[in-house]
Amino acid sequence: MFTTAVINKFKSTPTPFYYYDLDVLKQTLQKVKSESSKYNFIVHYALKANANNEVLEIVRANGIGADCVSGNEVKKAVECKFGRSHIVFAGVGKSDEEINYALDSDIFCFNCESKEELEIINGLANAKNKTASIALRINPNVNANTHKYITTGLEENKFGINLWELDDVVKLLETLSNIKLIGLHFHIGSQITDMSSFKSLCLRVNEIQGWFVSHKIHIENVNVGGGLGVDYHDPDNHMIPDFETYFKLFHDFLELRPGQKVHFELGRAIVAQCGTLVSKVLYIKKGVNTNFAILDAGMTELMRPALYQAYHKIENLTAIADEKWEKENGSESSFMQKYDVVGPICESSDCFGKAVNLPETSRGDIVVLRTAGAYGEVMSNGYNLRDKVKAVYS
Ligand SMILES: *Cc1c(COP(=O)(O)O)cnc(C)c1O
Protein backbone atom coordinates (compact mmCIF):
# COMPACT_ATOMS: atom_id res chain seq x y z
CA MET A 1 0.00 0.00 0.00
CA PHE A 2 1.49 3.35 -1.00
CA THR A 3 0.41 6.78 0.27
CA THR A 4 -0.57 9.50 -2.19
CA ALA A 5 2.67 11.32 -1.32
CA VAL A 6 4.73 8.28 -2.28
CA ILE A 7 2.78 7.80 -5.53
CA ASN A 8 3.37 11.46 -6.39
CA LYS A 9 7.08 10.95 -5.74
CA PHE A 10 7.03 7.97 -8.12
CA LYS A 11 5.31 10.10 -10.78
CA SER A 12 7.94 12.84 -10.56
CA THR A 13 11.03 10.59 -10.52
CA PRO A 14 12.57 9.30 -13.78
CA THR A 15 11.81 5.56 -14.15
CA PRO A 16 12.75 2.76 -13.81
CA PHE A 17 14.11 2.70 -10.27
CA TYR A 18 14.08 0.66 -7.09
CA TYR A 19 12.21 2.19 -4.18
CA TYR A 20 13.21 1.09 -0.71
CA ASP A 21 10.92 1.69 2.23
CA LEU A 22 13.53 1.91 4.97
CA ASP A 23 10.88 1.89 7.72
CA VAL A 24 9.72 -1.53 6.57
CA LEU A 25 13.36 -2.68 6.61
CA LYS A 26 13.87 -1.35 10.14
CA GLN A 27 10.68 -2.95 11.44
CA THR A 28 11.67 -6.26 9.87
CA LEU A 29 15.10 -6.10 11.48
CA GLN A 30 13.61 -5.27 14.87
CA LYS A 31 11.42 -8.35 14.64
CA VAL A 32 14.40 -10.49 13.61
CA LYS A 33 16.31 -9.20 16.63
CA SER A 34 13.50 -9.57 19.15
CA GLU A 35 12.57 -13.11 18.06
CA SER A 36 16.13 -14.46 17.64
CA SER A 37 17.39 -12.98 20.89
CA LYS A 38 14.80 -14.97 22.86
CA TYR A 39 17.04 -17.98 22.26
CA ASN A 40 20.41 -16.21 21.93
CA PHE A 41 20.53 -17.10 18.24
CA ILE A 42 23.13 -15.31 16.11
CA VAL A 43 21.87 -13.88 12.81
CA HIS A 44 23.96 -13.07 9.74
CA TYR A 45 22.62 -11.24 6.72
CA ALA A 46 23.24 -12.81 3.28
CA LEU A 47 24.69 -9.91 1.29
CA LYS A 48 23.90 -11.56 -1.99
CA ALA A 49 20.18 -10.78 -1.53
CA ASN A 50 20.82 -7.03 -1.63
CA ALA A 51 24.16 -5.26 -1.31
CA ASN A 52 22.84 -1.70 -1.64
CA ASN A 53 24.90 0.57 0.69
CA GLU A 54 21.89 2.18 2.37
CA VAL A 55 20.35 -1.22 3.06
CA LEU A 56 23.63 -2.66 4.36
CA GLU A 57 24.14 0.29 6.67
CA ILE A 58 20.76 -0.26 8.33
CA VAL A 59 21.30 -4.02 8.61
CA ARG A 60 24.71 -3.50 10.20
CA ALA A 61 23.37 -0.88 12.61
CA ASN A 62 21.04 -3.58 13.95
CA GLY A 63 23.97 -5.69 15.07
CA ILE A 64 23.58 -8.41 12.45
CA GLY A 65 26.58 -10.26 10.98
CA ALA A 66 27.47 -10.78 7.31
CA ASP A 67 27.16 -13.94 5.23
CA CYS A 68 29.26 -13.67 2.06
CA VAL A 69 29.57 -15.85 -1.02
CA SER A 70 32.41 -14.07 -2.84
CA GLY A 71 35.63 -12.21 -2.06
CA ASN A 72 34.04 -8.94 -3.11
CA GLU A 73 31.17 -9.53 -0.71
CA VAL A 74 33.70 -10.10 2.08
CA LYS A 75 35.36 -6.83 1.03
CA LYS A 76 32.03 -5.03 0.99
CA ALA A 77 31.18 -6.36 4.47
CA VAL A 78 34.56 -5.16 5.79
CA GLU A 79 34.09 -1.75 4.13
CA CYS A 80 30.60 -1.42 5.60
CA LYS A 81 32.13 -2.12 9.01
CA PHE A 82 30.47 -5.42 9.74
CA GLY A 83 32.69 -6.75 12.56
CA ARG A 84 35.31 -9.13 11.17
CA SER A 85 34.37 -11.63 13.84
CA HIS A 86 30.84 -11.63 12.39
CA ILE A 87 31.71 -12.40 8.76
CA VAL A 88 31.24 -15.89 7.32
CA PHE A 89 32.30 -16.90 3.81
CA ALA A 90 30.57 -19.72 1.87
CA GLY A 91 30.64 -20.79 -1.77
CA VAL A 92 31.57 -23.88 -3.82
CA GLY A 93 34.19 -22.06 -5.87
CA LYS A 94 36.37 -19.82 -3.70
CA SER A 95 39.41 -18.67 -5.69
CA ASP A 96 42.90 -18.41 -4.13
CA GLU A 97 42.67 -14.61 -4.24
CA GLU A 98 39.35 -14.67 -2.43
CA ILE A 99 40.63 -17.07 0.23
CA ASN A 100 43.77 -14.98 0.75
CA TYR A 101 41.72 -11.82 1.12
CA ALA A 102 39.46 -13.48 3.69
CA LEU A 103 42.49 -14.83 5.59
CA ASP A 104 44.02 -11.33 5.66
CA SER A 105 40.68 -9.96 6.89
CA ASP A 106 40.60 -12.41 9.82
CA ILE A 107 36.98 -13.36 9.20
CA PHE A 108 35.07 -15.51 11.68
CA CYS A 109 34.64 -18.62 9.55
CA PHE A 110 34.99 -20.22 6.12
CA ASN A 111 32.07 -22.49 5.30
CA CYS A 112 33.86 -25.21 3.33
CA GLU A 113 32.16 -27.23 0.68
CA SER A 114 34.68 -29.96 -0.31
CA LYS A 115 37.83 -31.85 0.72
CA GLU A 116 39.66 -30.20 -2.14
CA GLU A 117 38.79 -26.76 -0.78
CA LEU A 118 39.94 -27.71 2.74
CA GLU A 119 43.37 -28.64 1.39
CA ILE A 120 43.72 -25.37 -0.53
CA ILE A 121 42.66 -23.22 2.44
CA ASN A 122 45.08 -25.12 4.66
CA GLY A 123 47.96 -24.49 2.23
CA LEU A 124 47.18 -20.79 1.83
CA ALA A 125 46.78 -20.33 5.61
CA ASN A 126 50.07 -22.16 6.16
CA ALA A 127 51.86 -19.74 3.79
CA LYS A 128 50.62 -16.87 5.95
CA ASN A 129 51.36 -18.63 9.23
CA LYS A 130 47.69 -18.44 10.11
CA THR A 131 45.00 -20.82 11.24
CA ALA A 132 41.72 -20.64 9.32
CA SER A 133 38.54 -21.29 11.29
CA ILE A 134 36.21 -23.42 9.23
CA ALA A 135 32.77 -24.97 9.33
CA LEU A 136 31.93 -27.97 7.19
CA ARG A 137 29.02 -27.26 4.89
CA ILE A 138 27.20 -30.54 4.96
CA ASN A 139 24.61 -31.51 2.41
CA PRO A 140 21.84 -32.86 4.64
CA ASN A 141 19.81 -34.32 1.77
CA VAL A 142 16.67 -32.49 2.90
CA ASN A 143 14.12 -31.35 0.32
CA ALA A 144 13.24 -27.68 0.68
CA ASN A 145 10.08 -28.06 -1.43
CA THR A 146 10.88 -24.92 -3.37
CA HIS A 147 11.70 -24.18 -7.04
CA LYS A 148 14.36 -26.60 -8.34
CA TYR A 149 16.73 -23.75 -9.23
CA ILE A 150 16.80 -22.58 -5.60
CA THR A 151 17.01 -25.98 -3.90
CA THR A 152 20.51 -26.57 -2.56
CA GLY A 153 20.35 -29.32 0.07
CA LEU A 154 19.87 -32.46 -2.04
CA GLU A 155 22.65 -34.92 -2.87
CA GLU A 156 22.38 -34.12 -6.56
CA ASN A 157 23.11 -30.41 -5.94
CA LYS A 158 26.63 -29.06 -6.28
CA PHE A 159 26.69 -27.64 -2.74
CA GLY A 160 28.26 -29.06 0.40
CA ILE A 161 29.89 -32.27 1.56
CA ASN A 162 27.78 -35.41 1.33
CA LEU A 163 27.12 -37.50 4.43
CA TRP A 164 29.01 -40.56 3.18
CA GLU A 165 32.17 -38.43 2.82
CA LEU A 166 32.30 -37.45 6.51
CA ASP A 167 34.68 -40.25 7.56
CA ASP A 168 37.20 -39.20 4.94
CA VAL A 169 36.80 -35.52 5.73
CA VAL A 170 37.43 -36.04 9.43
CA LYS A 171 40.56 -38.10 8.68
CA LEU A 172 41.76 -35.39 6.32
CA LEU A 173 41.18 -32.67 8.93
CA GLU A 174 43.56 -34.46 11.32
CA THR A 175 46.36 -33.89 8.81
CA LEU A 176 45.61 -30.21 8.16
CA SER A 177 47.39 -28.21 10.85
CA ASN A 178 46.39 -24.73 9.67
CA ILE A 179 42.68 -25.39 9.88
CA LYS A 180 40.50 -25.38 12.96
CA LEU A 181 37.06 -26.97 12.79
CA ILE A 182 34.65 -24.70 14.66
CA GLY A 183 31.29 -25.66 13.27
CA LEU A 184 28.83 -27.32 10.96
CA HIS A 185 26.96 -25.45 8.27
CA PHE A 186 23.75 -26.21 6.38
CA HIS A 187 21.68 -24.32 3.83
CA ILE A 188 18.89 -26.21 2.09
CA GLY A 189 17.49 -23.62 -0.29
CA SER A 190 15.59 -20.40 -0.66
CA GLN A 191 11.98 -19.11 -0.59
CA ILE A 192 10.98 -21.95 1.75
CA THR A 193 7.40 -21.50 2.94
CA ASP A 194 6.81 -25.05 4.14
CA MET A 195 8.02 -24.94 7.74
CA SER A 196 8.19 -28.75 7.85
CA SER A 197 11.31 -28.51 5.66
CA PHE A 198 13.05 -26.65 8.48
CA LYS A 199 11.85 -29.26 10.95
CA SER A 200 13.32 -31.99 8.72
CA LEU A 201 16.56 -30.04 8.68
CA CYS A 202 16.64 -29.88 12.50
CA LEU A 203 16.10 -33.63 12.82
CA ARG A 204 18.85 -34.33 10.30
CA VAL A 205 21.21 -31.93 12.08
CA ASN A 206 20.54 -33.82 15.33
CA GLU A 207 21.53 -37.11 13.66
CA ILE A 208 24.67 -35.58 12.18
CA GLN A 209 25.59 -34.07 15.53
CA GLY A 210 25.25 -37.56 17.01
CA TRP A 211 27.79 -38.82 14.50
CA PHE A 212 30.30 -36.13 15.55
CA VAL A 213 29.74 -36.87 19.24
CA SER A 214 30.36 -40.57 18.63
CA HIS A 215 33.63 -39.58 16.96
CA LYS A 216 34.49 -37.42 19.98
CA ILE A 217 34.60 -34.25 17.90
CA HIS A 218 33.40 -31.13 19.65
CA ILE A 219 31.30 -28.75 17.55
CA GLU A 220 31.03 -25.21 18.87
CA ASN A 221 28.79 -23.65 16.23
CA VAL A 222 25.80 -24.90 14.32
CA ASN A 223 24.87 -22.76 11.32
CA VAL A 224 21.49 -23.64 9.83
CA GLY A 225 21.69 -21.21 6.89
CA GLY A 226 18.80 -19.14 5.57
CA GLY A 227 15.95 -19.72 3.19
CA LEU A 228 12.88 -18.41 5.01
CA GLY A 229 10.36 -17.43 2.35
CA VAL A 230 8.20 -14.33 1.96
CA ASP A 231 4.66 -13.76 0.66
CA TYR A 232 4.96 -12.58 -2.94
CA HIS A 233 1.19 -12.81 -3.47
CA ASP A 234 -0.04 -10.70 -0.58
CA PRO A 235 2.75 -8.37 0.51
CA ASP A 236 0.46 -5.81 2.17
CA ASN A 237 -0.87 -8.34 4.68
CA HIS A 238 2.47 -10.07 5.27
CA MET A 239 5.07 -7.32 5.21
CA ILE A 240 7.06 -9.01 7.97
CA PRO A 241 7.75 -12.75 7.69
CA ASP A 242 6.79 -15.02 10.58
CA PHE A 243 10.12 -14.93 12.41
CA GLU A 244 8.40 -15.95 15.64
CA THR A 245 7.38 -19.40 14.34
CA TYR A 246 10.63 -19.78 12.42
CA PHE A 247 13.05 -19.23 15.31
CA LYS A 248 10.83 -21.11 17.77
CA LEU A 249 10.89 -24.14 15.48
CA PHE A 250 14.69 -24.32 15.67
CA HIS A 251 14.53 -23.80 19.42
CA ASP A 252 12.01 -26.64 19.76
CA PHE A 253 13.63 -29.20 17.45
CA LEU A 254 17.40 -28.65 17.48
CA GLU A 255 19.15 -30.68 20.18
CA LEU A 256 22.03 -28.54 21.29
CA ARG A 257 25.09 -29.62 23.28
CA PRO A 258 26.24 -27.46 26.17
CA GLY A 259 27.72 -24.16 25.04
CA GLN A 260 26.77 -24.55 21.39
CA LYS A 261 25.85 -21.44 19.45
CA VAL A 262 23.26 -21.42 16.68
CA HIS A 263 23.76 -19.21 13.62
CA PHE A 264 21.32 -18.19 10.87
CA GLU A 265 21.95 -16.63 7.47
CA LEU A 266 18.85 -14.80 6.30
CA GLY A 267 18.72 -12.89 3.05
CA ARG A 268 15.37 -12.72 1.33
CA ALA A 269 13.26 -12.65 4.51
CA ILE A 270 15.04 -9.48 5.67
CA VAL A 271 15.00 -7.37 2.49
CA ALA A 272 12.38 -8.65 0.03
CA GLN A 273 9.34 -6.68 1.21
CA CYS A 274 11.04 -3.29 1.61
CA GLY A 275 11.83 -3.08 -2.12
CA THR A 276 9.63 -2.19 -5.09
CA LEU A 277 10.59 -1.85 -8.74
CA VAL A 278 8.89 1.25 -10.13
CA SER A 279 8.33 1.67 -13.87
CA LYS A 280 6.22 3.52 -16.41
CA VAL A 281 4.11 2.08 -19.19
CA LEU A 282 5.68 2.92 -22.56
CA TYR A 283 3.06 1.37 -24.84
CA ILE A 284 -0.15 -0.61 -24.78
CA LYS A 285 0.25 -2.86 -27.78
CA LYS A 286 -2.65 -4.83 -29.24
CA GLY A 287 -2.11 -8.58 -29.01
CA VAL A 288 -3.94 -11.64 -30.31
CA ASN A 289 -5.36 -12.90 -26.99
CA THR A 290 -4.36 -10.19 -24.55
CA ASN A 291 -2.88 -6.76 -24.99
CA PHE A 292 0.70 -6.10 -23.97
CA ALA A 293 1.62 -3.53 -21.37
CA ILE A 294 5.20 -2.69 -22.29
CA LEU A 295 7.12 -1.23 -19.36
CA ASP A 296 10.34 0.76 -19.28
CA ALA A 297 11.72 -1.81 -16.79
CA GLY A 298 12.62 -5.31 -17.87
CA MET A 299 14.61 -8.40 -17.01
CA THR A 300 17.74 -6.26 -16.85
CA GLU A 301 16.33 -4.57 -13.73
CA LEU A 302 14.50 -7.59 -12.25
CA MET A 303 15.66 -10.95 -13.51
CA ARG A 304 13.76 -13.33 -11.21
CA PRO A 305 10.72 -13.90 -13.46
CA ALA A 306 12.94 -14.67 -16.48
CA LEU A 307 15.43 -16.70 -14.42
CA TYR A 308 13.08 -18.94 -12.45
CA GLN A 309 9.53 -18.07 -13.39
CA ALA A 310 9.16 -16.12 -10.17
CA TYR A 311 5.95 -14.30 -9.39
CA HIS A 312 5.87 -10.62 -8.40
CA LYS A 313 2.65 -8.81 -7.66
CA ILE A 314 2.07 -6.15 -10.31
CA GLU A 315 0.06 -3.01 -9.58
CA ASN A 316 -0.95 0.01 -11.65
CA LEU A 317 -0.62 2.81 -9.10
CA THR A 318 -1.88 5.54 -11.44
CA ALA A 319 -5.12 3.66 -12.00
CA ILE A 320 -5.44 2.88 -8.30
CA ALA A 321 -4.97 6.55 -7.42
CA ASP A 322 -7.42 7.70 -10.13
CA GLU A 323 -9.97 5.15 -9.00
CA LYS A 324 -9.77 6.45 -5.45
CA TRP A 325 -10.35 9.94 -6.77
CA GLU A 326 -13.29 8.81 -8.92
CA LYS A 327 -14.86 6.92 -6.05
CA GLU A 328 -14.56 9.91 -3.77
CA ASN A 329 -16.12 12.09 -6.48
CA GLY A 330 -18.91 9.70 -7.35
CA SER A 331 -18.06 8.59 -10.91
CA GLU A 332 -17.69 5.05 -12.29
CA SER A 333 -14.59 3.09 -11.36
CA SER A 334 -12.57 1.62 -14.24
CA PHE A 335 -12.97 -2.02 -15.21
CA MET A 336 -10.35 -4.76 -15.06
CA GLN A 337 -8.58 -6.10 -18.15
CA LYS A 338 -5.94 -8.71 -18.81
CA TYR A 339 -2.46 -7.68 -19.94
CA ASP A 340 0.77 -9.49 -20.63
CA VAL A 341 3.16 -7.25 -18.70
CA VAL A 342 6.53 -7.24 -20.45
CA GLY A 343 9.79 -5.31 -20.57
CA PRO A 344 11.64 -3.72 -23.50
CA ILE A 345 14.50 -6.25 -23.70
CA CYS A 346 15.01 -8.34 -26.84
CA GLU A 347 14.18 -11.71 -25.24
CA SER A 348 10.83 -13.49 -25.11
CA SER A 349 11.51 -14.41 -21.48
CA ASP A 350 11.46 -10.68 -20.67
CA CYS A 351 7.96 -11.00 -19.30
CA PHE A 352 6.83 -10.13 -15.76
CA GLY A 353 3.44 -11.77 -15.97
CA LYS A 354 0.97 -13.23 -18.45
CA ALA A 355 -2.74 -12.30 -18.48
CA VAL A 356 -2.36 -10.08 -15.43
CA ASN A 357 -5.57 -8.45 -14.21
CA LEU A 358 -5.11 -4.68 -14.10
CA PRO A 359 -7.45 -1.71 -14.24
CA GLU A 360 -7.51 -0.20 -17.72
CA THR A 361 -3.89 0.80 -18.29
CA SER A 362 -2.48 3.58 -20.46
CA ARG A 363 0.84 4.96 -21.61
CA GLY A 364 2.52 6.86 -18.79
CA ASP A 365 0.89 4.95 -15.92
CA ILE A 366 3.09 3.99 -12.99
CA VAL A 367 3.31 0.21 -12.72
CA VAL A 368 5.17 -1.38 -9.82
CA LEU A 369 6.52 -4.85 -9.10
CA ARG A 370 6.23 -5.61 -5.41
CA THR A 371 8.47 -7.60 -3.08
CA ALA A 372 11.53 -6.84 -5.19
CA GLY A 373 14.04 -6.02 -2.45
CA ALA A 374 15.76 -9.43 -2.57
CA TYR A 375 17.63 -10.73 -5.62
CA GLY A 376 16.41 -7.69 -7.58
CA GLU A 377 18.83 -4.79 -7.78
CA VAL A 378 21.83 -7.07 -7.12
CA MET A 379 21.05 -9.13 -10.22
CA SER A 380 20.47 -6.09 -12.45
CA ASN A 381 22.75 -5.97 -15.45
CA GLY A 382 23.67 -4.01 -18.56
CA TYR A 383 22.35 -6.36 -21.24
CA ASN A 384 21.23 -4.35 -24.30
CA LEU A 385 23.61 -1.69 -22.88
CA ARG A 386 20.94 -0.65 -20.42
CA ASP A 387 21.67 2.07 -17.86
CA LYS A 388 22.43 0.95 -14.32
CA VAL A 389 19.15 0.97 -12.38
CA LYS A 390 18.83 3.72 -9.75
CA ALA A 391 17.53 3.52 -6.21
CA VAL A 392 15.43 5.96 -4.17
CA TYR A 393 14.54 5.71 -0.50
CA SER A 394 11.61 6.61 1.71
C1 LIG B 1 21.82 -17.49 -0.51
C2 LIG B 1 22.30 -18.00 0.77
C3 LIG B 1 21.67 -17.65 1.97
C4 LIG B 1 20.45 -16.76 2.01
O1 LIG B 1 19.33 -17.35 1.47
P1 LIG B 1 17.89 -16.64 1.59
O2 LIG B 1 16.99 -17.58 0.93
O3 LIG B 1 17.98 -15.34 0.89
O4 LIG B 1 17.61 -16.48 3.05
C5 LIG B 1 22.19 -18.15 3.13
N1 LIG B 1 23.28 -18.94 3.14
C6 LIG B 1 23.90 -19.31 2.01
C7 LIG B 1 25.09 -20.18 2.09
C8 LIG B 1 23.45 -18.86 0.79
O5 LIG B 1 24.07 -19.24 -0.32
Side-chain angles (χ1 to χ4, degrees):
M1 235 93 74
F2 298 98
T3 61
T4 310
V6 169
I7 295 175
N8 285 338
K9 181 169 170 171
F10 289 177
K11 284 181 179 166
S12 62
T13 307
T15 50
F17 60 89
Y18 274 94
Y19 168 74
Y20 293 107
D21 186 332
L22 300 181
D23 279 336
V24 168
L25 177 61
K26 286 173 193 162
Q27 285 166 28
T28 308
L29 286 162
Q30 271 161 23
K31 192 74 181 160
V32 170
K33 286 306 276 183
S34 65
E35 294 303 327
S36 62
S37 63
K38 284 183 184 167
Y39 315 109
N40 292 318
F41 289 162
I42 300 166
V43 180
H44 306 264
Y45 167 66
L47 264 76
K48 77 172 192 282
N50 188 321
N52 178 300
N53 285 331
E54 245 69 20
V55 169
L56 286 183
E57 178 52 34
I58 292 173
V59 172
R60 187 202 52 79
N62 278 268
I64 284 176
D67 166 40
C68 306
V69 290
S70 73
N72 284 342
E73 283 191 1
V74 175
K75 211 176 209 166
K76 185 94 185 178
V78 171
E79 282 165 10
C80 290
K81 307 228 162 25
F82 281 88
R84 287 160 191 256
S85 59
H86 295 283
I87 298 178
V88 297
F89 182 17
V92 284
K94 302 179 186 79
S95 72
D96 294 18
E97 291 73 23
E98 290 177 314
I99 294 167
N100 276 326
Y101 180 77
L103 285 169
D104 291 339
S105 304
D106 294 317
I107 62 165
F108 172 62
C109 188
F110 291 81
N111 293 336
C112 295
E113 311 224 5
S114 65
K115 283 185 283 191
E116 293 78 4
E117 182 191 332
L118 287 170
E119 287 175 341
I120 295 298
I121 294 180
N122 185 65
L124 294 171
N126 182 271
K128 291 181 184 293
N129 250 326
K130 287 195 164 188
T131 302
S133 294
I134 67 110
L136 296 174
R137 174 166 182 180
I138 296 177
N139 187 337
N141 200 23
V142 168
N143 195 343
N145 297 314
T146 182
H147 191 280
K148 63 178 188 295
Y149 285 0
I150 48 176
T151 292
T152 55
L154 289 175
E155 280 166 0
E156 69 235 42
N157 298 130
K158 69 178 174 181
F159 300 100
I161 295 166
N162 285 316
L163 295 173
W164 65 82
E165 298 175 291
L166 282 184
D167 265 318
D168 280 0
V169 169
V170 163
K171 280 199 197 98
L172 173 66
L173 281 177
E174 284 164 11
T175 70
L176 303 179
S177 49
N178 293 80
I179 274 187
K180 183 173 179 239
L181 176 66
I182 64 162
L184 301 179
H185 174 236
F186 307 86
H187 175 66
I188 57 171
S190 201
Q191 183 53 17
I192 299 168
T193 49
D194 176 359
M195 288 283 177
S196 72
S197 296
F198 291 120
K199 183 180 169 190
S200 305
L201 172 64
C202 290
L203 302 182
R204 191 59 57 85
V205 171
N206 295 342
E207 281 171 35
I208 295 168
Q209 286 242 61
W211 187 93
F212 279 89
V213 170
S214 72
H215 287 71
K216 305 208 165 25
I217 299 169
H218 175 65
I219 299 293
E220 214 178 304
N221 298 282
V222 177
N223 183 334
V224 292
L228 178 62
V230 298
D231 192 341
Y232 282 96
H233 290 267
D234 189 10
D236 287 323
N237 286 311
H238 299 111
M239 278 310 245
I240 299 184
D242 187 0
F243 295 113
E244 186 178 353
T245 305
Y246 174 73
F247 288 120
K248 183 170 187 301
L249 187 142
F250 286 91
H251 172 72
D252 288 346
F253 292 104
L254 265 188
E255 287 165 13
L256 296 178
R257 319 286 159 177
Q260 274 189 334
K261 296 190 191 83
V262 184
H263 299 250
F264 292 80
E265 302 168 336
L266 292 169
R268 187 191 311 270
I270 293 178
V271 291
Q273 297 293 17
C274 73
T276 303
L277 178 61
V278 182
S279 73
K280 265 199 194 89
V281 177
L282 290 175
Y283 301 100
I284 300 295
K285 178 180 168 177
K286 283 248 171 299
V288 179
N289 299 316
T290 48
N291 290 339
F292 294 99
I294 303 174
L295 308 183
D296 63 4
M299 63 191 281
T300 41
E301 287 68 49
L302 180 61
M303 194 151 80
R304 299 186 64 257
L307 190 60
Y308 22 67
Q309 297 147 346
Y311 173 87
H312 285 269
K313 187 170 189 205
I314 300 172
E315 290 173 345
N316 181 337
L317 295 187
T318 304
I320 289 173
D322 287 353
E323 195 163 323
K324 255 194 231 146
W325 188 90
E326 282 168 2
K327 265 190 195 141
E328 281 158 15
N329 293 277
S331 64
E332 294 271 298
S333 64
S334 59
F335 59 99
M336 301 299 274
Q337 293 189 15
K338 286 197 192 316
Y339 296 91
D340 283 4
V341 179
V342 302
I345 306 302
C346 300
E347 296 289 339
S348 295
S349 61
D350 184 28
C351 174
F352 290 131
K354 287 205 181 300
V356 180
N357 260 320
L358 291 175
E360 187 166 14
T361 295
S362 320
R363 174 176 166 87
D365 285 0
I366 296 284
V367 168
V368 297
L369 287 104
R370 304 288 306 274
T371 320
Y375 307 104
E377 189 187 350
V378 269
M379 284 192 186
S380 66
N381 60 77
Y383 182 44
N384 289 194
L385 294 187
R386 298 272 290 172
D387 288 333
K388 184 161 173 28
V389 67
K390 295 174 291 291
V392 307
Y393 309 88
S394 58

